[in-house]
Amino acid sequence: MATEAATTPDLRPIPQPPDFHPTVLIPSQNDKLRFWHLMVAGSIAGSVEHMAMFPVDTIKTHMQTIRSCPIKPVGITQAFRSIIKTEGPSALYRGIWAMGLGAGPAHAVYFSFYEVSKKYLSGGNPNNSLAHAVSGVFATVASDAVFTPMDMVKQRLQIGNGMYGGVWDCVKRVMREEGFGAFYASYRTTVLMNAPFTAVHFATYEAVKRGLREISPEYVGGGGEEEEEGLLVYATAGAAGGGLAAVLTTPLDVVKTQLQCQGVCGCDRFKSSSIGEVFRTIIKKDGYRGLARGWLPRMLFHAPAAAICWSTYETVKSFFHDVNGAAA
């Protein structure tokens, strides 16, 4: 008996501090993915996102443009009816090809820069929110350099009411009449808007995704119902990040729209690309409420768009990861 007692292992639990909660670490799949995998995944995600939500973006652009005539408050329903009545349903999709030409390459740069920056800045800690935010800022500075020219063309076509014959006609006329600088008139504003937008977006996305996985660790994907539940996590986290970031950065988005649409269909033309000048013009003409123009359709655009984008992006990444695993 004594011998048996002596060899019995001590199975008593080790006491833990009261606030002890083991951190749920989600292993990264990106280590096995090549740079071009991330670019392809980002390109597909960005194209699907913007194409799916384009009519909402058109309504937002119409609501944000401030013309020379007296300004009246415009709601989503009023803007939608006005577009349908005066220009027809097809006007909701005017400029979509410009969006397609810009969104694919820009999002390829966006996500690949984000993943690479996150890998080096996080120090191996997938829960580093600061690294996620800073990586998002790096990603947006690079992607905006690619996207801004086509975004300007897209917005001019959205409100142009037949002023331009299409994407290439708009590009040629802007180049001839205003010069190459017109394509980047809003770049500084776009970066100042998208840097905090992306920081909030990515940090919120990663935090919500981590929180949902801690609540339900089985939501990591891997086939069948688990994979569908994983997509639900991506969509929920993406919608939360996109919606919150969209509302917070609406004033700068209004400024960006003024700079990109200046001189088109009665919109004001500015002497320079000064953000302060545009702010003062908006406040003078429309009061401080003018800085919030289009906040609701902007949120209604970015919340589902981000859900679509992140779900598509993570799905394509998982596909590449599975292919690489099968080939190994």
Side-chain angles (χ1 to χ4, degrees):
M1 294 293 292
T3 303
E4 183 179 350
T7 58
T8 300
D10 186 358
L11 299 179
R12 288 177 299 175
I14 299 174
Q16 301 290 351
D19 296 329
F20 175 76
H21 297 286
T23 303
V24 177
L25 297 179
I26 307 302
S28 175
Q29 296 181 348
N30 297 334
D31 294 339
K32 296 182 179 180
L33 297 181
R34 296 180 181 274
F35 189 75
W36 72 267
H37 289 149
L38 302 175
M39 295 194 72
V40 170
S43 179
I44 294 173
S47 298
V48 171
E49 165 200 358
H50 285 286
M51 297 295 186
M53 301 303 301
F54 194 81
V56 181
D57 184 65
T58 298
I59 293 172
K60 183 216 70 168
T61 299
H62 277 261
M63 290 176 66
Q64 288 184 339
T65 51
I66 296 179
R67 324 236 174 173
S68 299
C69 55
I71 299 169
K72 297 180 180 179
V74 178
I76 294 178
T77 304
Q78 183 180 353
F80 175 76
R81 288 176 177 172
S82 175
I83 294 170
I84 297 298
K85 181 179 179 180
T86 59
E87 304 175 56
S90 63
L92 293 171
Y93 290 91
R94 189 188 299 128
I96 194 170
W97 296 117
M99 174 65 77
L101 290 171
H107 278 72
V109 172
Y110 186 81
F111 281 105
S112 55
F113 267 69
Y114 172 70
E115 295 285 7
V116 172
S117 299
K118 183 176 72 171
K119 177 180 178 181
Y120 286 101
L121 294 177
S122 63
N125 177 14
N127 301 328
N128 190 334
S129 297
L130 179 60
H132 299 153
V134 174
S135 298
V137 173
F138 287 159
T140 198
V141 171
S143 66
D144 283 343
V146 177
F147 188 60
T148 296
M150 280 296 110
D151 188 47
M152 183 274 285
V153 172
K154 181 264 299 181
Q155 286 202 310
R156 290 197 177 202
L157 290 172
Q158 283 176 319
I159 68 166
N161 195 17
M163 180 176 178
Y164 299 104
V167 174
W168 300 118
D169 179 57
C170 181
V171 170
K172 288 185 292 185
R173 288 180 57 180
V174 170
M175 181 70 76
R176 182 175 64 249
E177 298 170 7
E178 303 175 51
F180 181 77
F183 291 101
Y184 283 94
S186 69
Y187 178 67
R188 181 173 54 180
T189 307
T190 302
V191 171
L192 288 176
M193 173 187 71
N194 282 339
F197 176 95
T198 310
V200 172
H201 184 176
F202 277 106
T204 304
Y205 170 77
E206 297 286 356
V208 173
K209 184 174 69 172
R210 185 171 66 251
L212 291 173
R213 282 174 158 173
E214 287 176 354
I215 296 171
S216 301
E218 70 274 10
Y219 283 14
V220 295
E225 293 183 2
E226 289 185 358
E227 185 170 350
E228 293 180 3
E229 290 169 343
L231 291 177
L232 180 61
V233 169
Y234 301 141
T236 303
L244 177 61
V247 173
L248 294 178
T249 56
T250 293
L252 284 169
D253 188 52
V254 176
V255 173
K256 184 203 74 169
T257 298
Q258 303 311 307
L259 287 171
Q260 293 190 156
C261 297
Q262 55 183 314
V264 180
C265 292
C267 292
D268 288 332
R269 183 172 291 281
F270 302 95
K271 296 179 180 178
S272 68
S273 299
S274 168
I275 297 174
E277 179 187 352
V278 181
F279 263 117
R280 288 191 293 270
T281 300
I282 294 171
I283 293 171
K284 181 180 179 180
K285 284 197 163 192
D286 200 21
Y288 286 98
R289 71 179 181 183
L291 297 175
R293 273 179 172 259
W295 74 268
L296 183 55
R298 179 168 163 78
M299 184 189 69
L300 293 177
F301 172 90
H302 280 285
I308 294 169
C309 186
W310 279 109
S311 299
T312 305
Y313 177 65
E314 297 286 3
T315 299
V316 177
K317 277 204 313 180
S318 296
F319 169 76
F320 282 132
H321 182 264
D322 293 342
V323 169
N324 286 348

